[in-house]
Amino acid sequence: MSNGLRNWLQSQKHTRGFHPSWILLVVAATLVVAGLVWIPASLVAKTEYDRLPASGAAAARPPAAQPGNIPAVNERPGAPARQGPRTLRVAFSPPQADAIPGGEFGAAVRLGRNIFNDTQTYARAYVGNGLNCVNCHLDEGRKADSAPLWAAFGMFPAYREKNHKVNSYEERLSGCFRFSMNGKAPPPGSKELMALMSYSYWMAQGAPIGVELAGRGYPKLKEPPQPPDAQRGKIVYEAQCALCHGADGQGTRVGGRYAFPPLWGKDSFNAGAGMTRIRNAAGFIHANMPLGKGGTLSVQQAWDIARYMNSHARPPDPRTARS
Amino acid sequence: MCLQADDMSTNCPPSRRAPVRPFQGGGRSAWRVLIAAALLLSAPARADPRAGAALARQGATGAPACMACHGARGEGQAAAGFPRLAGQPQAYLLKQLEDFASGQRKSPQMEPIARALGTRQRRDAAEYYASLPAWSAEAAPAAPPSPAGLGARLATRGNWDKGLPACFACHGRDGTGITPHFPALSGQPSAYTRAQLKAWQAGTRGNDPQGLMKSVADRMTDAEVDAVSLYLENPASGGRRP
């Protein structure tokens, strides 16, 4: 305690009635209390607290989101809002695979996980290239910023520009089969789709419905300082990506399977896939590649490589090929 | 602005769209085979695994027999922490010998040995050790199977909560390596694996391409280093994604 304050307290012991310093003290205390109330209130306003679904709102702010628990309000007031009516971003962390339950439902979840990680084996009939779902949705479909399943599940049915209609979640899964996997959609209600739905549902348990979770989709990368350029992209590609994906983009095979997936050519995603949009590809690459070193490329580099990657031949878009 | 030329929902002029040609296969690959064959035939001096075998057994001037430390069949020495060389990718082994010779990779034992070898001898040795049988889950020694748990989890799934990919994403299924750049980890003495991970953390090993291995090691705790090193000694059980 400072000397001045101690002296003042001493002097107060000897004063019986009113002392002018009391006014100061009361005013200061009022300001402090007002501040304490106002700061959190303004934080809450910034995260658009009022749009939280009724149940989740009460969970004030636990230190970190627990697997499967009601998610915490994301404390990034400046987080970029996405288009659409739901701009609230909520943090959620999905359960670990060890927590998959037993029983029939657990078996469906497990099959979904197997299909997702090893589509080549478990859904062979619906795949027309060398990829697995997990190649573009890292960590078994769990990793934020690589279009994780737990963030997707509660956002459907939704209208999609791609086919100009409202899509169920099942139809969304089928989309990646047709385009990203250059295959065909498993029939509605098939055991493959049911398993993938079960896996996604299990992972999304406890997450709110219709709320954009932080980490959904591929991140929206800033516009590059200069227009994306494939020639510049080629140079960075050779330095940063060719080691694994090959100088010719054809990936690396071990025993007939791709250890590193192809980025173009006949075994890669087709020309109708979301990854052929430079914007999507740049977002994915910037956040996730080179493997284990996500976020190390510059924004410009990511756009340039995305342009370069998508300037190569790949299987045709099944929609235009048919007509 | 038309940066979203890739985005089908924007109305950019079609000319600005990235050209996406339908895939046309074949044709060029025949040429590649021809060129590769021509290169192979014209290569001046092919590496000779028999010369490499002699080197392993007898050594050369200034270089003791490799066997003395790396074992009769290149299996390494667990107690001393000398690495297994058998079945590693040839390109990987050669790069390590060159890095020891140039001082890019530090080791009091290996630097002088690698320097004593000529370019040709390094290639022979690499060729020889690459040709020896690799570790495999089926042929794993009767050593007790590594426990499932933290080590198995890191190896097969990583820990993406801190940006750590699965070891096997780069080191191949079951940790058997991905030729040419990614060495096998399975069957490697745990003391060796641990020492290498620590060396990357401390900055004393820095010869990995693109700093890929450094960024992995830097994210690991001591407990994770220990667990995964032990696990990789014999991941025969539970080595696949559980």
Side-chain angles (χ1 to χ4, degrees):
Chain A
M1 210 190 293
S2 82
N3 268 342
L5 198 56
R6 197 180 300 137
N7 290 344
W8 179 76
L9 277 177
Q10 287 296 334
S11 74
Q12 289 306 298
K13 280 188 188 154
H14 307 292
T15 335
R16 277 285 131 107
F18 174 80
H19 189 279
S21 313
W22 283 112
I23 299 179
L24 262 179
L25 194 68
V26 167
V27 169
T30 314
L31 281 178
V32 167
V33 169
L36 281 177
V37 172
W38 179 78
I39 292 171
S42 72
L43 271 181
V44 164
K46 272 193 192 142
T47 48
E48 294 177 59
Y49 205 82
D50 50 336
R51 297 199 185 182
L52 244 188
S55 70
R61 243 173 258 139
Q66 291 303 307
N69 275 4
I70 291 171
V73 175
N74 185 359
E75 287 201 59
R76 284 188 300 164
R82 290 202 161 209
Q83 295 160 311
R86 308 167 224 85
T87 47
L88 180 80
R89 310 244 319 151
V90 169
F92 175 78
S93 93
Q96 285 285 347
D98 318 72
I100 296 178
E104 286 294 311
F105 175 69
V109 173
R110 247 175 281 270
L111 176 63
R113 177 169 177 250
N114 286 338
I115 294 174
F116 200 83
N117 292 336
D118 190 355
T119 327
Q120 296 292 321
T121 306
Y122 290 91
R124 181 76 225 135
Y126 305 106
V127 176
N129 61 17
L131 302 185
N132 295 305
C133 307
V134 68
N135 292 157
C136 300
H137 303 284
L138 304 194
D139 192 18
E140 317 191 335
R142 302 173 75 251
K143 189 182 170 298
D145 294 337
S146 72
L149 298 180
W150 45 264
F153 188 79
M155 297 304 279
F156 290 86
Y159 176 78
R160 292 190 73 212
E161 280 290 327
K162 186 151 184 162
N163 49 17
H164 310 289
K165 60 169 193 153
V166 174
N167 287 223
S168 65
Y169 185 71
E170 206 174 28
E171 285 169 308
R172 182 65 192 87
L173 294 171
S174 299
C176 269
F177 272 104
R178 267 187 92 199
F179 303 105
S180 299
M181 308 295 288
N182 191 35
K184 52 177 192 271
S190 59
K191 83 169 187 313
E192 285 81 7
L193 285 183
M194 190 49 76
L196 285 168
M197 301 240 288
S198 305
Y199 182 46
S200 310
Y201 163 79
W202 165 78
M203 220 188 263
Q205 280 178 69
I209 277 180
V211 172
E212 186 96 22
L213 298 173
R216 182 183 177 210
Y218 293 165
K220 274 212 158 54
L221 197 56
K222 281 201 303 243
E223 297 295 328
Q226 300 170 45
D229 177 68
Q231 272 321 103
R232 276 198 310 264
K234 180 175 195 285
I235 297 168
V236 192
Y237 178 86
E238 276 158 10
Q240 297 281 341
C241 324
L243 185 81
C244 299
H245 295 291
D248 57 1
Q250 299 310 289
T252 306
R253 270 170 182 275
V254 176
R257 303 173 55 97
Y258 284 102
F260 300 123
L263 303 190
W264 59 82
K266 68 174 170 46
D267 273 347
S268 191
F269 50 92
N270 72 35
M275 194 65 104
T276 59
R277 298 182 176 196
I278 312 293
R279 177 174 299 283
N280 275 345
F284 173 85
I285 291 167
H286 188 263
N288 299 300
M289 291 289 144
L291 191 73
K293 295 189 68 182
T296 56
L297 296 174
S298 71
V299 169
Q300 183 72 51
Q301 285 173 325
W303 282 92
D304 290 347
I305 302 178
R307 169 71 84 208
Y308 174 67
M309 174 173 93
N310 283 332
S311 68
H312 291 90
R314 55 180 69 260
D317 185 336
R319 293 168 300 184
T320 51
R322 200 174 292 141
S323 58
Chain B
M1 253 233 301
C2 203
L3 283 175
Q4 298 107 310
D6 50 294
D7 195 314
M8 291 172 209
S9 60
T10 60
N11 23 11
C12 291
S15 56
R16 300 279 311 265
R17 293 203 176 154
V20 179
R21 286 159 284 139
F23 179 76
Q24 312 138 355
R28 263 180 298 166
S29 51
W31 276 109
R32 283 202 202 122
V33 172
L34 273 180
I35 293 171
L39 281 177
L40 274 179
L41 290 176
S42 63
R46 294 272 294 124
D48 179 0
R50 272 167 309 171
L55 207 58
R57 248 181 289 112
Q58 295 139 28
T61 31
C66 320
M67 258 167 84
C69 297
H70 291 287
R73 301 283 296 153
E75 73 280 13
Q77 268 188 51
F82 296 153
R84 170 186 184 92
L85 303 179
Q88 290 287 27
Q90 188 267 356
Y92 172 78
L93 292 175
L94 182 58
K95 172 175 171 275
Q96 301 309 311
L97 288 171
E98 277 161 2
D99 288 351
F100 284 130
S102 69
Q104 263 277 100
R105 182 173 169 187
K106 307 278 175 223
S107 161
Q109 290 106 320
M110 278 309 296
E111 279 179 70
I113 296 175
R115 273 191 207 112
L117 301 178
T119 321
R120 180 71 194 277
Q121 286 170 310
R122 281 182 220 138
R123 280 215 280 159
D124 294 342
E127 190 79 21
Y128 167 67
Y129 279 114
S131 75
L132 295 181
W135 178 93
S136 79
E138 294 76 40
S146 311
L150 179 59
R153 186 137 131 193
L154 282 172
T156 57
R157 289 192 250 153
N159 181 353
W160 279 103
D161 291 345
K162 50 178 181 174
L164 193 61
C167 310
F168 292 176
C170 285
H171 291 282
R173 269 201 155 193
D174 294 339
T176 49
I178 299 175
T179 306
H181 305 291
F182 299 88
L185 302 178
S186 296
Q188 203 61 278
S190 62
Y192 175 72
T193 303
R194 189 180 297 109
Q196 299 305 308
L197 291 170
K198 297 259 156 143
W200 264 300
Q201 289 178 338
T204 49
R205 183 167 176 183
N207 68 332
D208 48 330
Q210 297 173 226
L212 288 169
M213 201 42 226
K214 164 96 178 140
S215 78
V216 167
D218 278 351
R219 294 193 165 101
M220 297 176 75
T221 63
D222 285 354
E224 287 172 334
V225 167
D226 284 343
V228 83
S229 303
L230 269 179
Y231 173 74
L232 289 167
E233 239 173 23
N234 183 18
S237 71
R240 283 154 224 274
R241 281 179 196 265

